[in-house]
Amino acid sequence: MNSIFFPLKAGIGLRSVHYQALLETRPAVGWLEAHSENYFSAGGATLRWLTRLRELYPLSLHGVGLSLGSTDQFAVSHLEKLKQLIARFEPVLVSEHLSWSSVNQRFFNELLPLPYNESTLAYLSQRIDQVQHYLGRQLLIENVSSYIQFKASTMPEWVFIRELVQRTGCGVLLDINNVYVNAFNHGFNPETYLAAIPSDAVKEFHLVGFENHHESLLIDTHSRTVADGVWEWYQKALTYFGDIPTIIEWDNDIPELKQLVNEAEKADNYRKIYHERTQ
């Protein structure tokens, strides 16, 4: 359980199409999560919007471009911009992805999965240590969705994440949708996943919608409401990890702000049920 940040309500991912509506309507969401790289400029409109919204809501920063699993060296300018953004906006949580997205400094617009083995574990542990030392704070690592498995993998994802936490002291941003999608695509029991992750390492939940392609493959599109099956595993995750700060994400076919707020309210209803059962 995060002893510093405990919002009373679920939050939503901050997207530019909602800047104005958020300021005008000020919905009763608990917090906002912004993609770090969208605010790396030295000035301009996006930073002004974020400054105004930060006055109204707690904020977290969620990176999509650090490419933790890449063999490329970290761009010092990227880390420095992230550090400056943290100093300016004082986010309650800072996170990145368990993935890679660059080769020879050429970046892809995807969060690509990694083989889970001892070599990757040692390499990624060193990279996370480097980032946490540079930023001077804990980094949360998010599990990503995947559609392939590597022959080079020697351990399941949940064991890899557990080892990563033990070696680096990083936290976990547990995307319940990605657990559900990967369980369907790769044929494992989500409960095995949840049971393996250290409960005190999980600091945040993500909830998002997927698309079902021909009843044989789930694609993590971030373009739908949260599926019923994901809501069921969200309720189970609450029993494993407690009432962790929760974000509703939506990145494609972005709806009106009201629909995101409705999804956040749905998460709050499940949180309320959890508290009633555990009192």
Side-chain angles (χ1 to χ4, degrees), residues 66 68 70-76 79 83 122-137 139 167-168:
L66 195 54
L68 276 172
S70 170
T71 56
D72 291 344
Q73 289 187 349
F74 288 126
V76 175
L79 287 173
K83 192 170 186 176
Y123 179 72
L124 202 60
S125 296
Q126 178 270 324
R127 299 267 283 185
I128 292 172
D129 280 341
Q130 185 179 349
V131 173
Q132 291 187 139
H133 178 75
Y134 191 91
L135 298 180
R137 62 179 295 161
L139 187 67
R167 294 189 186 194
T168 69

Side-chain angles (χ1 to χ4, degrees), residues 54-65:
R54 179 66 182 87
E55 293 172 354
L56 302 176
Y57 297 98
L59 180 73
S60 67
L61 291 177
H62 187 46
V64 295

Side-chain angles (χ1 to χ4, degrees), residues 78-112:
H78 187 117
L79 287 173
E80 183 56 30
K81 288 175 182 175
L82 178 57
K83 192 170 186 176
Q84 291 175 5
L85 200 65
I86 290 169
R88 176 170 178 175
F89 290 99
E90 300 181 331
V92 290
L93 300 168
V94 177
S95 55
E96 252 291 348
H97 293 85
L98 180 60
S99 65
W100 63 281
S101 55
S102 67
V103 174
N104 296 328
Q105 299 302 325
R106 294 185 64 185
F107 282 80
F108 310 103
N109 191 29
E110 300 291 343
L111 300 168
L112 299 167

Side-chain angles (χ1 to χ4, degrees), residues 127-185:
R127 299 267 283 185
I128 292 172
D129 280 341
Q130 185 179 349
V131 173
Q132 291 187 139
H133 178 75
Y134 191 91
L135 298 180
R137 62 179 295 161
Q138 186 186 49
L139 187 67
L140 308 189
I141 305 301
E142 180 182 359
N143 57 305
V144 298
S145 57
S146 64
Y147 315 102
I148 60 170
Q149 290 183 302
F150 294 92
K151 290 183 179 179
S153 290
T154 58
M155 63 184 79
E157 183 174 293
W158 49 90
V159 172
F160 187 90
I161 291 176
R162 185 180 65 204
E163 290 296 318
L164 206 57
V165 168
Q166 291 175 350
R167 294 189 186 194
T168 69
C170 71
V172 176
L173 192 174
L174 191 62
D175 189 312
I176 306 301
N177 175 74
N178 289 348
V179 173
Y180 184 88
V181 164
N182 288 358
F184 180 90
N185 291 341

